[in-house]
Coordinates of all heavy atoms in Angstrom, one line a residue:
M23 N 112.2 90.4 106.8 CA 112.6 91.6 107.5 C 113.4 91.2 108.7 O 113.0 90.3 109.4 CB 111.3 92.3 107.9 CG 111.5 93.5 108.8 SD 109.9 94.3 109.2 CE 110.1 94.4 111.0
S24 N 114.5 91.9 108.9 CA 115.3 91.5 110.1 C 114.9 92.5 111.2 O 114.7 93.7 111.0 CB 116.8 91.6 109.8 OG 117.2 92.9 109.5
I25 N 114.9 92.0 112.4 CA 114.6 92.8 113.6 C 115.9 93.3 114.3 O 116.7 92.4 114.6 CB 113.7 92.0 114.6 CG1 112.4 91.6 113.8 CG2 113.4 92.8 115.8 CD1 111.5 90.7 114.7
T26 N 116.0 94.6 114.4 CA 117.2 95.1 115.1 C 116.8 95.5 116.5 O 115.6 95.6 116.9 CB 117.7 96.3 114.4 OG1 116.7 97.3 114.3 CG2 118.2 95.9 113.0
G27 N 117.8 95.9 117.3 CA 117.6 96.3 118.7 C 117.8 95.3 119.7 O 118.1 94.1 119.3
R28 N 117.6 95.6 120.9 CA 117.8 94.7 122.0 C 116.5 93.9 122.2 O 115.4 94.4 122.1 CB 118.0 95.5 123.3 CG 118.4 94.8 124.5 CD 119.0 95.7 125.5 NE 118.1 96.8 125.8 CZ 117.5 97.1 127.0 NH1 117.6 96.3 128.0 NH2 116.7 98.1 127.1
M29 N 116.6 92.5 122.2 CA 115.5 91.7 122.3 C 115.0 91.5 123.8 O 115.8 91.2 124.6 CB 115.7 90.3 121.6 CG 116.0 90.4 120.1 SD 114.8 91.4 119.2 CE 113.3 90.4 119.3
L30 N 113.7 91.7 124.0 CA 113.2 91.6 125.3 C 111.9 90.7 125.2 O 111.5 90.3 124.2 CB 112.8 93.0 125.8 CG 114.0 93.9 125.9 CD1 113.5 95.4 126.0 CD2 114.8 93.6 127.2
R31 N 111.4 90.4 126.4 CA 110.1 89.5 126.4 C 109.0 90.4 126.8 O 109.1 91.2 127.7 CB 110.3 88.4 127.4 CG 111.2 87.3 126.9 CD 110.9 86.0 127.5 NE 109.9 85.2 126.8 CZ 110.0 84.7 125.6 NH1 111.1 84.9 124.9 NH2 109.0 84.1 125.0
A32 N 107.8 90.1 126.2 CA 106.6 90.7 126.6 C 105.6 89.6 126.9 O 105.5 88.7 126.2 CB 106.0 91.7 125.5
V33 N 104.9 89.8 128.0 CA 103.8 88.9 128.3 C 102.5 89.7 128.2 O 102.4 90.8 128.7 CB 104.0 88.3 129.7 CG1 102.7 87.4 130.1 CG2 105.2 87.5 129.8
I34 N 101.5 89.1 127.5 CA 100.2 89.7 127.3 C 99.3 89.1 128.3 O 98.8 88.0 128.1 CB 99.7 89.6 125.9 CG1 100.8 89.8 124.8 CG2 98.5 90.5 125.7 CD1 101.4 91.1 124.8
A35 N 99.0 89.8 129.4 CA 98.0 89.3 130.4 C 96.6 89.8 130.0 O 96.5 90.8 129.3 CB 98.4 89.9 131.8
P36 N 95.6 89.2 130.4 CA 95.5 88.0 131.3 C 95.7 86.7 130.6 O 95.6 85.6 131.2 CB 94.1 88.1 131.9 CG 93.3 88.6 130.8 CD 94.2 89.6 130.1
H37 N 96.1 86.7 129.3 CA 96.1 85.5 128.5 C 97.4 84.7 128.7 O 97.4 83.5 128.5 CB 96.1 85.9 127.0 CG 95.0 86.8 126.6 ND1 93.7 86.4 126.5 CD2 95.0 88.2 126.4 CE1 92.9 87.4 126.2 NE2 93.6 88.5 126.2
G38 N 98.4 85.4 129.2 CA 99.7 84.6 129.4 C 100.5 84.4 128.1 O 101.4 83.6 128.1
W39 N 100.1 85.1 127.1 CA 100.9 84.9 125.8 C 102.2 85.7 125.9 O 102.2 86.8 126.4 CB 100.1 85.5 124.6 CG 98.8 84.8 124.4 CD1 98.4 83.5 124.8 CD2 97.6 85.4 123.9 NE1 97.1 83.3 124.4 CE2 96.6 84.4 123.9 CE3 97.3 86.7 123.4 CZ2 95.3 84.6 123.4 CZ3 96.0 86.9 122.9 CH2 95.0 85.9 122.9
E40 N 103.2 85.0 125.4 CA 104.6 85.6 125.5 C 105.0 85.9 124.1 O 104.8 85.1 123.1 CB 105.6 84.7 126.1 CG 105.5 84.6 127.6 CD 106.6 83.8 128.2 OE1 107.7 83.9 127.7 OE2 106.4 83.2 129.2
C41 N 105.8 87.0 123.9 CA 106.4 87.2 122.6 C 107.7 87.9 122.8 O 107.9 88.5 123.8 CB 105.5 87.9 121.7 SG 104.9 89.5 122.2
E42 N 108.6 87.8 121.8 CA 109.8 88.5 121.8 C 109.6 89.9 121.2 O 108.9 90.0 120.2 CB 110.8 87.8 120.9 CG 111.6 86.7 121.6 CD 113.0 86.6 121.1 OE1 113.1 86.5 119.8 OE2 113.9 86.5 121.9
V43 N 110.1 90.9 121.9 CA 109.9 92.3 121.3 C 111.3 92.9 121.3 O 112.2 92.6 122.1 CB 109.0 93.1 122.2 CG1 107.6 92.5 122.1 CG2 109.4 93.1 123.7
S44 N 111.4 93.8 120.3 CA 112.7 94.6 120.2 C 112.4 96.0 120.8 O 111.4 96.6 120.6 CB 113.1 94.7 118.7 OG 114.0 95.8 118.5
D45 N 113.5 96.5 121.4 CA 113.3 97.9 121.9 C 113.3 98.9 120.8 O 113.1 100.1 121.0 CB 114.3 98.2 123.0 CG 115.7 98.3 122.5 OD1 116.0 98.0 121.3 OD2 116.6 98.6 123.3
A46 N 113.6 98.4 119.6 CA 113.6 99.4 118.4 C 112.2 99.6 117.9 O 112.1 100.5 117.0 CB 114.5 98.8 117.4
M47 N 111.2 98.8 118.3 CA 109.9 99.1 117.8 C 108.8 99.1 118.9 O 109.0 98.6 119.9 CB 109.6 98.0 116.7 CG 109.3 96.7 117.2 SD 108.8 95.5 115.9 CE 110.2 95.4 114.9
P48 N 107.7 99.8 118.6 CA 106.7 99.9 119.6 C 106.1 98.5 119.9 O 106.1 97.6 119.1 CB 105.6 100.8 119.0 CG 106.3 101.5 117.9 CD 107.4 100.6 117.4
L49 N 105.6 98.3 121.1 CA 105.0 97.1 121.5 C 103.9 96.5 120.6 O 103.9 95.4 120.4 CB 104.5 97.2 123.0 CG 105.5 97.2 124.1 CD1 104.9 97.7 125.4 CD2 106.2 95.9 124.2
L50 N 103.1 97.5 120.2 CA 102.0 97.0 119.3 C 102.5 96.3 118.1 O 102.0 95.3 117.7 CB 101.1 98.3 119.0 CG 99.9 98.0 118.2 CD1 98.7 98.1 119.1 CD2 99.7 98.9 117.0
E51 N 103.5 96.9 117.4 CA 104.0 96.4 116.2 C 104.8 95.1 116.5 O 104.6 94.1 115.7 CB 105.0 97.5 115.6 CG 105.5 97.2 114.2 CD 106.5 98.3 113.8 OE1 106.6 99.3 114.4 OE2 107.1 98.0 112.7
A52 N 105.5 95.1 117.5 CA 106.3 93.9 117.9 C 105.3 92.7 118.2 O 105.6 91.6 117.7 CB 107.2 94.1 119.1
A53 N 104.2 93.0 118.9 CA 103.3 91.9 119.2 C 102.7 91.4 117.9 O 102.5 90.2 117.7 CB 102.2 92.4 120.2
S54 N 102.3 92.3 117.0 CA 101.7 91.9 115.8 C 102.6 91.0 114.9 O 102.2 90.1 114.3 CB 101.1 93.1 115.1 OG 101.6 93.2 113.8
L55 N 103.9 91.3 115.0 CA 104.9 90.4 114.3 C 104.9 89.0 114.8 O 105.3 88.1 114.2 CB 106.3 91.0 114.3 CG 106.6 92.2 113.4 CD1 108.0 92.7 113.7 CD2 106.4 91.9 112.0
S56 N 104.5 88.9 116.1 CA 104.5 87.6 116.8 C 103.1 87.0 116.7 O 102.8 86.0 117.4 CB 104.9 87.8 118.3 OG 106.2 88.2 118.4
G57 N 102.2 87.6 116.0 CA 100.9 87.0 115.8 C 99.9 87.4 116.9 O 98.9 86.7 117.0
I58 N 100.2 88.5 117.6 CA 99.2 88.9 118.6 C 98.7 90.3 118.3 O 99.5 91.2 118.1 CB 99.9 88.9 120.0 CG1 100.4 87.5 120.4 CG2 98.9 89.5 121.1 CD1 101.2 87.4 121.6
K59 N 97.4 90.4 118.2 CA 96.8 91.7 117.8 C 96.3 92.4 119.0 O 95.5 91.9 119.8 CB 95.6 91.4 116.8 CG 95.0 92.6 116.3 CD 93.8 92.2 115.3 CE 93.1 93.3 114.7 NZ 93.1 94.6 115.3
L60 N 96.8 93.6 119.2 CA 96.3 94.4 120.3 C 95.4 95.5 119.7 O 95.6 95.9 118.5 CB 97.5 95.2 121.0 CG 98.7 94.3 121.4 CD1 99.8 95.2 122.1 CD2 98.2 93.2 122.4
P61 N 94.4 95.9 120.5 CA 93.5 96.9 119.9 C 94.2 98.2 119.5 O 95.2 98.6 120.2 CB 92.5 97.2 121.1 CG 92.7 96.1 122.1 CD 94.1 95.5 121.8
S62 N 93.9 98.8 118.4 CA 94.5 100.0 118.0 C 93.7 100.7 117.0 O 92.8 100.1 116.4 CB 95.9 99.7 117.4 OG 95.8 99.1 116.1
S63 N 94.0 102.0 116.7 CA 93.4 102.7 115.7 C 94.4 103.6 115.0 O 94.9 103.3 113.9 CB 92.2 103.5 116.2 OG 91.6 104.2 115.2
C64 N 94.8 104.7 115.7 CA 95.7 105.7 115.0 C 97.1 105.3 114.9 O 97.8 105.6 113.9 CB 95.6 107.0 115.8 SG 96.5 107.0 117.4
R65 N 97.6 104.5 115.8 CA 99.0 104.1 115.9 C 100.0 105.2 115.9 O 101.1 105.0 115.6 CB 99.3 103.2 114.7 CG 98.5 101.9 114.7 CD 98.6 101.1 113.4 NE 97.9 99.8 113.6 CZ 98.4 98.6 113.6 NH1 99.7 98.5 113.5 NH2 97.7 97.6 113.8
N66 N 99.6 106.3 116.4 CA 100.5 107.4 116.6 C 100.4 108.1 117.9 O 100.9 109.2 118.1 CB 100.5 108.4 115.4 CG 99.1 109.2 115.4 OD1 98.4 109.2 116.4 ND2 98.8 109.7 114.2
G67 N 99.7 107.4 118.9 CA 99.8 108.0 120.2 C 98.7 109.0 120.5 O 98.9 109.8 121.5
T68 N 97.7 109.2 119.7 CA 96.7 110.2 120.0 C 95.3 109.7 120.3 O 94.7 110.3 121.2 CB 96.6 111.2 118.8 OG1 96.3 110.5 117.6 CG2 97.9 112.0 118.6
C69 N 94.9 108.6 119.7 CA 93.4 108.2 119.9 C 93.2 107.5 121.2 O 92.0 107.4 121.6 CB 93.0 107.4 118.7 SG 93.5 105.7 118.8
R70 N 94.1 106.9 121.7 CA 94.0 106.1 123.0 C 93.3 104.8 122.9 O 93.0 104.2 123.9 CB 93.4 107.0 124.1 CG 94.2 108.2 124.5 CD 93.4 109.3 125.1 NE 92.8 108.9 126.3 CZ 93.2 109.1 127.6 NH1 94.4 109.7 127.7 NH2 92.6 108.7 128.6
A71 N 93.0 104.3 121.7 CA 92.3 103.1 121.5 C 93.1 101.9 122.0 O 92.6 100.9 122.4 CB 92.0 102.8 120.0
C72 N 94.5 102.1 122.0 CA 95.3 100.9 122.5 C 95.7 101.0 123.9 O 96.3 100.1 124.5 CB 96.6 101.0 121.6 SG 97.6 102.5 122.0
M73 N 95.2 102.0 124.6 CA 95.6 102.3 126.0 C 95.5 101.0 126.9 O 94.4 100.4 126.9 CB 94.8 103.4 126.6 CG 95.2 103.9 127.9 SD 94.2 105.5 128.1 CE 94.3 105.6 129.9
C74 N 96.5 100.7 127.6 CA 96.5 99.5 128.5 C 97.4 99.7 129.7 O 98.2 100.7 129.7 CB 96.8 98.2 127.7 SG 98.6 98.1 127.3
R75 N 97.3 98.8 130.6 CA 98.1 99.0 131.8 C 99.4 98.2 131.7 O 99.4 97.0 131.2 CB 97.3 98.5 133.0 CG 97.8 99.1 134.3 CD 96.9 98.7 135.4 NE 95.8 99.5 135.7 CZ 95.8 100.6 136.5 NH1 96.9 100.9 137.0 NH2 94.7 101.3 136.7
L76 N 100.5 98.8 132.2 CA 101.7 98.1 132.2 C 101.8 97.5 133.6 O 101.9 98.2 134.6 CB 102.9 99.1 132.1 CG 104.3 98.6 132.1 CD1 104.6 97.7 130.9 CD2 105.3 99.8 132.1
D77 N 101.7 96.2 133.7 CA 101.8 95.5 135.0 C 103.2 95.4 135.6 O 103.4 95.5 136.8 CB 101.2 94.1 134.9 CG 99.7 94.1 134.8 OD1 99.1 95.1 135.1 OD2 99.1 93.0 134.5
S78 N 104.1 95.2 134.7 CA 105.5 95.3 135.2 C 106.4 95.6 134.0 O 106.1 95.5 132.9 CB 105.9 94.0 135.9 OG 106.2 93.0 134.9
G79 N 107.6 96.1 134.4 CA 108.6 96.5 133.3 C 108.6 98.0 133.2 O 108.1 98.7 134.0
Q80 N 109.2 98.4 132.1 CA 109.4 99.8 131.8 C 109.3 100.1 130.3 O 109.7 99.3 129.5 CB 110.9 100.1 132.3 CG 111.3 101.5 132.1 CD 111.0 102.3 133.3 OE1 111.0 101.8 134.4 NE2 110.7 103.6 133.1
V81 N 108.7 101.2 130.0 CA 108.6 101.6 128.6 C 109.1 103.0 128.4 O 109.2 103.8 129.4 CB 107.2 101.5 128.0 CG1 106.7 100.0 128.0 CG2 106.2 102.4 128.7
S82 N 109.4 103.4 127.2 CA 109.8 104.8 126.9 C 109.1 105.2 125.6 O 108.7 104.4 124.8 CB 111.3 105.0 126.8 OG 111.8 104.3 125.7
Y83 N 109.0 106.5 125.4 CA 108.4 107.0 124.2 C 109.4 107.9 123.4 O 110.2 108.6 124.0 CB 107.2 107.9 124.6 CG 106.1 107.2 125.3 CD1 106.1 107.1 126.7 CD2 105.2 106.5 124.6 CE1 105.1 106.4 127.4 CE2 104.2 105.7 125.3 CZ 104.2 105.7 126.6 OH 103.2 105.0 127.3
R84 N 109.3 107.7 122.1 CA 110.2 108.5 121.2 C 109.5 109.8 120.8 O 110.1 110.6 120.2 CB 110.6 107.7 119.9 CG 111.1 106.3 120.2 CD 112.5 106.3 120.8 NE 113.2 105.0 120.5 CZ 113.2 104.0 121.4 NH1 112.7 104.2 122.6 NH2 113.9 102.9 121.1
I85 N 108.2 109.9 121.1 CA 107.4 111.1 120.7 C 107.3 112.0 121.9 O 107.4 111.5 123.0 CB 106.0 110.8 120.1 CG1 105.2 110.1 121.1 CG2 106.2 110.0 118.8 CD1 103.7 109.9 120.7
E86 N 107.2 113.3 121.6 CA 107.2 114.3 122.7 C 106.2 114.0 123.8 O 106.6 113.9 124.9 CB 106.8 115.6 122.0 CG 107.8 116.6 121.7 CD 109.0 116.8 122.6 OE1 108.7 117.5 123.7 OE2 110.1 116.3 122.4
W87 N 105.0 113.9 123.5 CA 104.0 113.8 124.6 C 102.9 112.9 124.1 O 101.9 113.3 123.5 CB 103.4 115.2 124.9 CG 102.6 115.1 126.2 CD1 101.3 115.3 126.3 CD2 103.1 114.8 127.5 NE1 100.9 115.2 127.6 CE2 101.9 114.8 128.3 CE3 104.3 114.5 128.0 CZ2 102.0 114.6 129.7 CZ3 104.4 114.2 129.4 CH2 103.3 114.3 130.2
P88 N 103.0 111.6 124.4 CA 101.9 110.7 124.0 C 100.6 111.1 124.7 O 100.7 111.7 125.8 CB 102.4 109.3 124.4 CG 103.5 109.6 125.4 CD 104.1 110.9 125.1
G89 N 99.5 110.7 124.2 CA 98.2 111.2 124.7 C 97.8 110.6 126.0 O 96.7 110.0 126.1
L90 N 98.6 110.8 127.0 CA 98.3 110.3 128.4 C 98.6 111.5 129.3 O 99.5 112.3 129.1 CB 99.3 109.2 128.8 CG 99.1 107.8 128.1 CD1 100.3 107.0 128.5 CD2 97.9 107.1 128.5
T91 N 97.7 111.6 130.3 CA 98.0 112.6 131.4 C 99.1 112.1 132.3 O 99.5 110.9 132.3 CB 96.8 112.9 132.2 OG1 96.5 111.7 133.0 CG2 95.6 113.2 131.4
R92 N 99.7 113.0 133.0 CA 100.7 112.7 133.9 C 100.2 111.7 134.9 O 100.9 110.7 135.3 CB 101.2 114.0 134.7 CG 102.5 113.9 135.4 CD 102.7 115.2 136.1 NE 102.8 116.3 135.1 CZ 103.9 116.7 134.5 NH1 105.0 116.0 134.7 NH2 103.9 117.7 133.6
E93 N 98.9 111.9 135.4 CA 98.3 111.0 136.3 C 98.2 109.6 135.8 O 98.5 108.6 136.4 CB 96.9 111.5 136.8 CG 96.9 112.7 137.6 CD 97.3 114.0 136.8 OE1 97.0 114.0 135.6 OE2 97.7 114.9 137.4
E94 N 97.7 109.5 134.5 CA 97.6 108.2 133.9 C 98.9 107.5 133.8 O 99.0 106.3 134.0 CB 96.9 108.3 132.5 CG 95.5 108.6 132.6 CD 94.9 109.1 131.2 OE1 95.7 109.5 130.3 OE2 93.7 109.2 131.1
K95 N 99.9 108.2 133.4 CA 101.3 107.6 133.3 C 101.7 107.1 134.7 O 102.2 106.0 134.8 CB 102.3 108.6 132.9 CG 102.4 108.8 131.4 CD 103.6 109.7 131.1 CE 103.8 109.8 129.6 NZ 105.0 110.7 129.3
A96 N 101.4 107.9 135.7 CA 101.8 107.5 137.1 C 101.1 106.3 137.5 O 101.6 105.5 138.3 CB 101.6 108.7 138.0
E97 N 99.8 106.1 137.0 CA 99.0 104.9 137.4 C 99.4 103.7 136.6 O 98.8 102.6 136.8 CB 97.5 105.2 137.2 CG 97.0 106.2 138.2 CD 95.6 106.7 137.8 OE1 95.0 106.2 136.8 OE2 95.1 107.5 138.6
G98 N 100.3 103.9 135.6 CA 100.8 102.7 134.9 C 100.1 102.5 133.5 O 100.3 101.4 132.9
W99 N 99.4 103.5 133.1 CA 98.8 103.3 131.7 C 99.8 103.7 130.7 O 100.6 104.6 130.8 CB 97.6 104.3 131.6 CG 96.4 103.9 132.5 CD1 96.1 104.5 133.7 CD2 95.5 102.9 132.3 NE1 95.0 103.8 134.2 CE2 94.6 102.8 133.4 CE3 95.3 101.9 131.3 CZ2 93.6 101.9 133.5 CZ3 94.2 101.0 131.4 CH2 93.4 101.0 132.5
I100 N 99.8 102.9 129.6 CA 100.7 103.1 128.5 C 99.9 103.1 127.2 O 98.8 102.6 127.1 CB 101.8 102.1 128.4 CG1 101.3 100.7 128.1 CG2 102.6 102.1 129.7 CD1 102.4 99.7 127.7
L101 N 100.6 103.6 126.1 CA 100.0 103.5 124.7 C 101.0 102.6 124.0 O 102.0 103.1 123.5 CB 99.9 104.9 124.1 CG 99.0 105.9 124.8 CD1 99.0 107.3 124.2 CD2 97.5 105.4 124.7
P102 N 100.7 101.3 123.8 CA 101.6 100.4 123.2 C 101.9 100.7 121.7 O 102.9 100.2 121.2 CB 100.9 99.0 123.4 CG 99.5 99.3 123.7 CD 99.5 100.7 124.3
C103 N 101.1 101.5 121.1 CA 101.4 101.8 119.7 C 102.6 102.7 119.5 O 103.2 102.8 118.5 CB 100.2 102.5 119.0 SG 99.8 104.2 119.5
V104 N 103.0 103.4 120.6 CA 104.2 104.3 120.6 C 105.1 104.0 121.7 O 106.1 104.7 121.9 CB 103.8 105.8 120.6 CG1 103.2 106.2 119.2 CG2 102.8 106.1 121.7
A105 N 104.8 103.0 122.6 CA 105.7 102.7 123.7 C 106.7 101.6 123.4 O 106.3 100.5 122.9 CB 104.8 102.2 124.9
H106 N 107.9 101.9 123.5 CA 109.0 101.0 123.3 C 109.4 100.3 124.6 O 109.5 101.0 125.6 CB 110.2 101.7 122.7 CG 110.0 102.3 121.4 ND1 110.6 101.8 120.3 CD2 109.3 103.3 121.0 CE1 110.2 102.5 119.2 NE2 109.4 103.4 119.6
P107 N 109.6 99.0 124.6 CA 110.0 98.4 125.9 C 111.4 98.7 126.3 O 112.3 98.9 125.4 CB 109.9 96.9 125.6 CG 110.1 96.8 124.1 CD 109.5 98.1 123.5
E108 N 111.7 98.9 127.5 CA 113.0 99.2 128.0 C 113.5 98.0 128.9 O 114.6 98.0 129.4 CB 113.0 100.5 128.9 CG 112.8 101.7 128.1 CD 113.9 102.0 127.0 OE1 115.0 101.5 127.2 OE2 113.6 102.7 126.1
A109 N 112.6 97.1 129.2 CA 112.9 95.9 130.0 C 111.8 94.9 129.6 O 110.9 95.2 128.8 CB 112.8 96.2 131.5
D110 N 111.9 93.7 130.1 CA 110.9 92.7 129.9 C 109.6 93.3 130.5 O 109.6 94.0 131.6 CB 111.2 91.4 130.7 CG 112.3 90.6 130.0 OD1 112.7 91.0 128.9 OD2 112.8 89.7 130.6
V111 N 108.5 93.2 129.8 CA 107.2 93.8 130.3 C 106.1 92.8 130.4 O 106.1 91.8 129.7 CB 106.8 95.0 129.3 CG1 107.8 96.1 129.3 CG2 106.6 94.4 127.9
V112 N 105.2 93.1 131.3 CA 103.9 92.5 131.3 C 102.8 93.5 131.1 O 102.8 94.5 131.8 CB 103.6 91.8 132.7 CG1 102.2 91.1 132.7 CG2 104.7 90.7 132.9
I113 N 102.0 93.4 130.0 CA 100.9 94.4 129.8 C 99.6 93.7 129.9 O 99.5 92.5 129.5 CB 101.1 95.1 128.4 CG1 101.1 94.1 127.3 CG2 102.3 96.0 128.4 CD1 101.1 94.8 125.9
D114 N 98.6 94.4 130.4 CA 97.3 93.8 130.6 C 96.4 94.3 129.5 O 96.0 95.4 129.4 CB 96.8 94.3 132.0 CG 95.5 93.6 132.4 OD1 95.4 92.4 132.1 OD2 94.6 94.3 132.9
V115 N 96.1 93.3 128.6 CA 95.3 93.7 127.4 C 94.2 92.6 127.2 O 94.4 91.7 126.4 CB 96.1 93.8 126.1 CG1 95.3 94.4 125.0 CG2 97.4 94.7 126.3
P116 N 93.1 92.7 127.9 CA 92.1 91.6 127.8 C 91.6 91.4 126.4 O 91.2 90.3 126.0 CB 91.0 92.1 128.8 CG 91.6 93.1 129.7 CD 92.8 93.7 129.0
L117 N 91.5 92.5 125.6 CA 91.0 92.4 124.2 C 92.0 92.0 123.2 O 91.7 92.0 122.0 CB 90.4 93.8 123.8 CG 89.2 94.2 124.7 CD1 88.7 95.6 124.2 CD2 88.0 93.2 124.5
A118 N 93.2 91.6 123.6 CA 94.2 91.1 122.7 C 93.7 89.8 122.0 O 92.9 89.1 122.6 CB 95.5 90.8 123.4
A119 N 94.1 89.6 120.8 CA 93.6 88.4 120.1 C 94.8 87.8 119.3 O 95.7 88.5 118.9 CB 92.5 88.8 119.1
K120 N 94.7 86.5 119.1 CA 95.7 85.8 118.3 C 95.4 86.0 116.8 O 94.2 85.9 116.4 CB 95.8 84.3 118.6 CG 96.4 84.0 120.0 CD 97.8 83.6 119.8 CE 98.3 83.0 121.2 NZ 99.7 82.7 121.2
L121 N 96.4 86.4 116.0 CA 96.1 86.5 114.6 C 96.2 85.2 113.9 O 96.9 84.3 114.3 CB 97.2 87.4 114.0 CG 97.2 88.9 114.3 CD1 98.5 89.6 113.9 CD2 96.0 89.6 113.8
G122 N 95.4 85.1 112.8 CA 95.4 83.9 112.0 C 94.8 82.7 112.7 O 95.2 81.7 112.8
Ligands
FES215 S1 96.4 103.3 118.6 FE1 95.8 105.4 118.9 S2 96.9 105.9 120.7 FE2 97.6 103.9 120.2

């Protein structure tokens, strides 16, 4: 499979794992292609199982209203199953795991 889009870097804190991510796909999917598993369930922005904090960088959503309140968004919470990176990002996901 070829990856399209602008390539950016994601760091998974507190582990310090780095991976290349494309702005064409959500962070959760991009991390998994790099062998990093983030907690998830619905993968469509409603269950909040993947909710984590964006320590730095910028993300955007292609869906109308991901399951976050305005306050949560303002506090830096994101849903990586539907959040596309817009810049290099650092996300805080203590429960992330290496695949394989
Ligand atoms: S996995 Fe359900 S909101 Fe992200």
Side-chain angles (χ1 to χ4, degrees):
M23 175 179 131
S24 68
I25 299 176
T26 57
R28 191 163 50 114
M29 296 311 290
L30 300 162
R31 289 204 83 69
V33 174
I34 317 297
H37 309 285
W39 299 332
E40 283 190 32
C41 57
E42 276 212 310
V43 293
S44 160
D45 66 356
M47 73 176 65
L49 284 168
L50 184 104
E51 191 183 346
S54 124
L55 285 179
S56 297
I58 299 170
K59 184 178 180 339
L60 308 180
S62 72
S63 181
C64 73
R65 295 172 178 246
N66 64 20
T68 54
C69 77
R70 298 159 59 95
C72 64
M73 189 168 158
C74 70
R75 202 180 271 273
L76 180 68
D77 283 348
S78 76
Q80 181 88 32
V81 298
S82 69
Y83 298 95
R84 311 285 203 264
I85 61 173
E86 261 317 284
W87 190 248
L90 291 169
T91 65
R92 195 180 302 274
E93 289 75 23
E94 287 165 344
K95 276 187 172 178
E97 287 168 6
W99 294 98
I100 65 165
L101 296 175
C103 69
V104 285
H106 295 250
E108 294 294 338
D110 291 348
V111 295
V112 178
I113 57 175
D114 188 40
V115 191
L117 294 177
K120 290 261 190 184
L121 290 168

